[in-house]
Amino acid sequence: MEAALKAMSDSTRREILRLVKNEEMPAGEIASNFPVSRSAISQHLTVLKSAGLIDERRAGVKRLYRTRVEGMSELKAFLEMFWDVRLDRLKAAAEAEIEKEESCNDDV
């Protein structure tokens, strides 16, 4: 998970993940979406692949990339843990507010 977090700390790599989340794309097409060299995009793809966040498949001379859903699962579970805590806090605050309102209504 540490490698995935480090890989996702870069905005270019996050955008690459968005580009290839629903379809395979060749490296050249990915690179055409950025104002950096193909070599720089290749380095970003290597980092994402090493972190297990994308898959690479060869089709002739092309390399096709796609988000690796399995690689995102541990990271997703980690982040959802914080979301669940926030939802629990929101629920507790809402329930406390309801109890407070009911208490005020009982006093009247």
Side-chain angles (χ1 to χ4, degrees):
M1 183 173 58
E2 186 174 332
L5 287 170
K6 283 181 181 179
M8 294 193 61
S9 69
D10 183 89
S11 63
T12 299
R13 290 192 285 265
R14 288 192 305 271
E15 184 59 28
I16 290 170
L17 287 171
R18 278 191 281 278
L19 286 171
V20 299
K21 78 175 189 170
N22 293 321
E23 64 179 310
E24 286 183 317
M25 291 179 74
E29 188 176 337
I30 294 168
S32 71
N33 288 277
F34 300 94
V36 297
S37 69
R38 287 181 79 153
S39 175
I41 294 301
S42 178
Q43 290 174 357
H44 286 299
L45 291 168
T46 298
V47 169
L48 289 168
K49 186 177 166 193
S50 295
L53 297 176
I54 60 171
D55 281 325
E56 176 188 86
R57 180 176 71 86
R58 289 183 182 249
V61 295
K62 289 184 177 182
R63 292 180 186 203
L64 302 171
Y65 296 90
R66 180 179 214 148
T67 299
R68 186 173 175 269
V69 176
E70 302 84 4
M72 303 288 262
S73 63
E74 184 179 355
L75 181 59
K76 181 179 182 256
F78 177 75
L79 295 173
E80 283 178 344
M81 173 181 66
F82 294 101
W83 180 247
D84 290 344
V85 169
R86 301 268 321 218
L87 288 176
D88 289 343
R89 289 180 185 164
L90 178 61
K91 179 182 176 201
E95 288 171 348
E97 188 64 29
I98 289 169
E99 286 180 22
K100 182 179 171 184
E101 287 176 9
E102 290 174 350
S103 174
C104 288
N105 290 337
D106 290 343
D107 292 343
V108 175

